[in-house]
Amino acid sequence: MRILRSIAVVVVVCSIAAGAEKQLKPGESEIYNDVAKDLASADFAKALTDLDAWRQKFPNSDFRDERSALYLQTWAGLGQPAKVLDAAGELMAKGLETAFPAPGGQATVIRVLYNAVSAIAQMPNPSPAEIATGGEAAHQLLNYDQPVPGVAADKWAEVRADMRQKAESALLYLAMVPGIRAMAKQPPDCPAAESAYTKALAGYPDKTVLSYELGRALNCEAKALPEKLAPAVYEFERAAVIDPSLGNPKNDKKKIQTFGDTAYVRLHGSEEGLDQLKQQVKQSALPPPGFQIATATEIAEAARQKFENNNPQVALWMKIKGALSDTDGEEYFETQLKGAAVPQLKGMLISAKPACRPKELLVAVPVPDAQSAPQPEITLQLDKPLAGKPEPQIEVYWQGVPAAFTRDPFMLTFATETDKVQGLKTTPCSTGTPARKGGVK
């Protein structure tokens, strides 16, 4: 923050100049004045050179701690976060408020903590010591409430808000580090990432970046454990509903929203139930115990079971037809179906041969949601003719033995006893008009 930047060097240098118990050695003031000018103009490379000269000429300066604070600020300006954390760790080990007591030392304490917090967020793979230093700095910065002398109350409020935001961001990042490391392994350690992000969410339930990353970890596990897919979708959808920017205003919110919705539809097969899930994810950062989303496969299987239960004969025929229509359909017919006893089937009578007293019935099996009129695909060869003329478009039931099959046109022929065909409706056959005896006169 600009206000914090403007007061940092000034107060460090002022605390040096005002030190009552500490004394500058002859020639030392010129060096620290050079350092102050360097930092004020953001010439960090020159500041480093001048700081090194100061340390070489006056290794036992009374202002070693102040010099370390200026080193820390210089390393921050040069983009060297690891060195910032090393310097901050040494100063914090002494106690910052002891090294830089009030009045006059507050801004230096803030700057040390602020730079350390900024540095840890720049470390992609921090060491345990760096994590410890960065975490402690973040906690201290979050709780620091000693105003800087000479800073107006409204400006101090701005500085304080910036300090808190910076500290909270660093603590969130540190909470994510175990999960980031687990997912970065080759192959990723998905269970460890799930555990890490679940723990982080317990501390930061409103941070949707954690929900999104937990979703990624669960989705990773789902390759071996499909039951992880539902909680993964829950976390993706929570991120999409609560804060699709994932805490970064620069992120495209629609991207996460679309991702969450697509993940649900991919699993469930449709948007049915999505609105209810959007409401549910608002209640908790983690899904309730036993949470599941019916998959498209499960829904299809349930529909199949229901259909088979309600339409056993049609379901049986669909299985037979499917096997006959396959590439090895003829082999299936010859080796498994021909001559075998088939349970009762049902269909719709389309036509008869001949129309009166037939010995062949052509039957179709209508299936639900068919887009075209049913076509005959079964021939019933009767052992004796029917007594009359069968009415078409009537549902019939039969039992028979498969006797012949052709793939194109598709036709399965059953040898069937006439008495085992049920549901037929017949009318007497017309005998025609008898001819007159004697011919035409």
Side-chain angles (χ1 to χ4, degrees), residues 388-429:
K389 179 180 180 180
E391 296 182 14
Q393 308 300 311
I394 296 296
E395 189 173 80
V396 295
Y397 297 79
W398 74 91
Q399 282 184 281
V401 176
F405 169 67
T406 60
R407 178 191 290 273
D408 188 16
F410 185 95
M411 183 63 66
L412 179 63
T413 300
F414 283 85
T416 308
E417 296 180 23
T418 303
D419 294 341
K420 290 186 178 181
V421 181
Q422 303 173 12
L424 291 169
K425 294 182 180 181
T426 59
T427 57
C429 294

Side-chain angles (χ1 to χ4, degrees), residues 232-440:
V233 171
Y234 182 100
E235 296 301 333
F236 289 141
E237 199 58 49
R238 178 172 170 82
V241 169
I242 302 300
D243 178 14
S245 74
L246 306 184
N248 185 348
K250 296 180 180 180
N251 285 339
D252 182 357
K253 293 183 178 181
K254 290 185 179 180
K255 183 177 180 180
I256 297 300
Q257 290 168 337
T258 300
F259 182 84
D261 292 351
T262 301
Y264 178 87
V265 173
R266 187 182 298 116
L267 176 63
H268 186 64
S270 72
E271 292 186 354
E272 180 186 12
L274 180 57
D275 288 340
Q276 291 88 332
L277 178 61
K278 288 178 183 290
Q279 295 302 314
Q280 184 179 11
V281 298
K282 295 177 182 179
Q283 309 305 315
S284 172
L286 297 172
F291 173 81
Q292 283 299 325
I293 298 171
T295 68
T297 301
E298 291 169 343
I299 293 171
E301 176 61 19
R304 186 189 67 78
Q305 288 287 352
K306 181 178 180 180
F307 178 82
E308 289 188 0
N309 292 337
N310 295 336
N311 306 276
Q313 294 99 337
V314 176
L316 175 59
W317 168 245
M318 291 174 68
K319 290 180 180 179
I320 293 173
K321 183 179 179 180
L324 290 171
S325 300
D326 206 349
T327 54
D328 57 352
E330 287 89 350
E331 181 182 354
Y332 165 74
F333 173 77
E334 292 292 339
T335 59
Q336 299 186 49
L337 193 60
K338 187 176 182 179
V342 176
Q344 187 184 64
L345 295 172
K346 75 173 181 178
M348 178 184 292
L349 178 63
I350 302 298
S351 62
K353 294 181 180 181
C356 190
R357 290 186 286 276
K359 286 195 68 175
E360 285 189 0
L361 303 178
L362 297 180
V363 177
V365 181
V367 296
D369 303 323
Q371 300 298 313
S372 58
Q375 299 297 315
E377 49 196 4
I378 296 170
T379 296
L380 303 183
Q381 285 187 341
L382 307 179
D383 63 336
K384 59 183 178 180
L386 294 179
K389 179 180 180 180
E391 296 182 14
Q393 308 300 311
I394 296 296
E395 189 173 80
V396 295
Y397 297 79
W398 74 91
Q399 282 184 281
V401 176
F405 169 67
T406 60
R407 178 191 290 273
D408 188 16
F410 185 95
M411 183 63 66
L412 179 63
T413 300
F414 283 85
T416 308
E417 296 180 23
T418 303
D419 294 341
K420 290 186 178 181
V421 181
Q422 303 173 12
L424 291 169
K425 294 182 180 181
T426 59
T427 57
C429 294
S430 174
T431 58
T433 304
R436 295 180 181 183
K437 293 181 179 181
V440 178

Side-chain angles (χ1 to χ4, degrees), residues 94-273:
K94 297 179 180 181
L96 294 180
E97 294 186 4
T98 299
F100 312 108
Q106 294 96 318
T108 304
V109 172
I110 293 171
R111 175 49 65 182
V112 170
L113 296 174
Y114 196 93
N115 278 329
V117 166
S118 298
I120 193 62
Q122 300 174 45
M123 300 293 291
N125 190 26
S127 67
E130 290 167 341
I131 289 174
T133 297
E136 178 60 25
H139 283 293
Q140 289 190 32
L141 187 65
L142 185 65
N143 298 316
Y144 195 85
D145 60 359
Q146 295 189 41
V148 177
V151 176
D154 60 335
K155 298 302 181 183
W156 169 245
E158 292 182 40
V159 172
R160 186 77 180 90
D162 185 52
M163 290 160 54
R164 288 176 176 170
Q165 186 277 327
K166 201 73 173 179
E168 289 171 353
S169 294
L171 290 172
L172 174 61
Y173 171 70
L174 289 173
M176 295 178 65
V177 165
I180 293 172
R181 285 177 169 169
M183 291 297 286
K185 292 182 178 180
Q186 294 299 326
D189 189 344
C190 309
E194 178 195 353
S195 177
Y197 286 124
T198 300
K199 180 180 179 180
L201 262 178
Y204 301 93
D206 296 329
K207 300 300 184 182
T208 57
V209 66
L210 294 175
S211 293
Y212 179 78
E213 294 299 335
L214 175 56
R216 289 185 62 236
L218 290 164
N219 197 49
C220 174
E221 289 185 272
K223 296 174 183 177
L225 301 171
E227 63 270 20
K228 297 288 186 177
L229 276 174
V233 171
Y234 182 100
E235 296 301 333
F236 289 141
E237 199 58 49
R238 178 172 170 82
V241 169
I242 302 300
D243 178 14
S245 74
L246 306 184
N248 185 348
K250 296 180 180 180
N251 285 339
D252 182 357
K253 293 183 178 181
K254 290 185 179 180
K255 183 177 180 180
I256 297 300
Q257 290 168 337
T258 300
F259 182 84
D261 292 351
T262 301
Y264 178 87
V265 173
R266 187 182 298 116
L267 176 63
H268 186 64
S270 72
E271 292 186 354
E272 180 186 12

Side-chain angles (χ1 to χ4, degrees), residues 4-16:
L4 192 55
R5 288 197 299 268
S6 65
I7 63 176
V9 177
V10 174
V11 178
V12 171
V13 174
C14 288
S15 66
I16 291 175

